[in-house]
Amino acid sequence: MTGALQGQVALVTGAARGIGRAVAQKLAREGADVAVNYYNSHDEAETLCAELRALGRRAFAVQGSVGVPDSVDEMFTALREQFDHVDIVVSNAASGVLKPVMDMGLKHWRWCMETNALAVDLLAQRAVPMMRNGGRIIALSSLGAQRAMPGYGFIGASKAALEALVRALAQELGPRGIRANVVSAGVVDTDALSYFPNRDELLANFAARTPAGPKLAPADVANAVYLLCLPEAAMINGHTLVVDGGFAISG
């Protein structure tokens, strides 16, 4: 089984479940070998690796906390034991606290910023020396980076910081043939959404206001990541690609 990404190596963070899992599956189906990063979901990560190997890909699971420099160092030590290069880095792992900003403290700020934003830079610093011309760095964001959402203030701020960091990386790494972009997703019904107290309301509002259809699946987001990995996307750099079926344009 071959594809447009044959011979390439991808690192996907937070790949054991949800959107990260769909991204790993898509990249593998298109030919890439995949390093599957996870934090707590060891069994899910190993199951995914077995699935990817069944496609004829090399795949291995690597545990790590993406916002902790020492942990990211350990991830890349393990990565180098398996692969001599990396072509695609997808910064998908995310976390945060769903509370009003008036109830938040410094530890909440640091947790959101380090896991969701700082991680992009930590990954880039370690991945770029292993990258060839044509490398891709793609970070996952959300509409909360641009919109005020109840209980999402610190997470939204971290996603806005993520998008700003990617623009800086695009400017710095562009001359080296490495492209950095963001995929910003609308409301996707994953395990992560179950932590939102207004989950049902979010899904209903999205379904009612989305011109392209009532549901957004992890595979839709993975497809957008894949598009940015293609050679045809070489002149897309430093941009945020919104995948929301038109939700954000509907008022």
Side-chain angles (χ1 to χ4, degrees):
M1 182 178 179
T2 61
L5 304 181
Q6 187 70 30
Q8 297 195 30
V9 175
L11 166 65
V12 183
T13 69
R17 294 185 289 179
I19 292 173
R21 188 182 191 90
V23 170
Q25 291 168 327
K26 177 64 178 179
L27 299 183
R29 284 196 297 269
E30 297 299 333
D33 297 325
V34 184
V36 173
N37 163 255
Y38 69 96
Y39 184 56
N40 285 321
S41 306
H42 174 268
D43 291 346
E44 291 94 333
E46 290 293 350
T47 299
L48 174 61
C49 286
E51 176 186 331
L52 304 186
R53 292 185 195 113
L55 296 174
R57 307 294 171 241
R58 295 176 61 191
F60 83 104
V62 56
Q63 196 273 343
S65 180
V66 295
V68 179
D70 288 348
S71 186
V72 179
D73 284 337
E74 292 171 0
M75 284 170 50
F76 274 84
T77 296
L79 180 66
R80 286 190 293 270
E81 290 175 355
Q82 299 288 331
F83 303 108
D84 61 3
H85 69 279
V86 63
D87 301 281
I88 300 163
V89 172
V90 181
S91 182
N92 165 75
S95 187
V97 183
L98 292 166
K99 287 184 179 181
V101 294
M102 295 297 290
D103 296 337
M104 301 283 247
L106 181 60
K107 67 177 182 180
H108 303 123
W109 179 258
R110 286 175 171 167
W111 178 252
C112 292
M113 283 293 174
E114 290 171 5
T115 305
N116 302 339
L118 175 64
V120 180
D121 196 45
L122 295 179
L123 292 167
Q125 288 174 354
R126 290 150 181 80
V128 166
M130 297 178 66
M131 280 188 161
R132 305 174 291 190
N133 188 297
R136 298 289 193 268
I137 297 171
I138 301 169
L140 273 294
S141 186
S142 68
L143 299 182
Q146 306 295 330
R147 292 167 170 253
M149 298 169 57
Y152 201 77
F154 273 23
I155 302 175
S158 70
K159 292 295 189 178
L162 174 154
E163 293 184 13
L165 277 169
V166 168
R167 289 191 292 270
L169 287 170
Q171 187 177 59
E172 293 181 18
L173 300 177
R176 301 175 63 167
I178 298 170
R179 305 294 182 245
N181 290 288
V182 175
V183 171
S184 179
V187 180
V188 184
D189 192 10
T190 63
D191 290 343
L193 196 67
S194 66
Y195 293 99
F196 286 70
N198 60 337
R199 170 188 172 275
D200 292 341
E201 179 185 351
L202 287 171
L203 288 170
N205 186 39
F206 186 83
R209 291 177 48 197
T210 305
K215 291 185 178 180
L216 182 67
D220 297 318
V221 185
N223 288 340
V225 172
Y226 166 65
L227 290 175
L228 292 174
C229 294
L230 294 173
E232 290 84 349
M235 291 305 289
I236 302 174
N237 192 36
H239 288 280
T240 296
L241 175 59
V242 176
V243 183
D244 68 349
F247 173 84
I249 64 172
S250 299

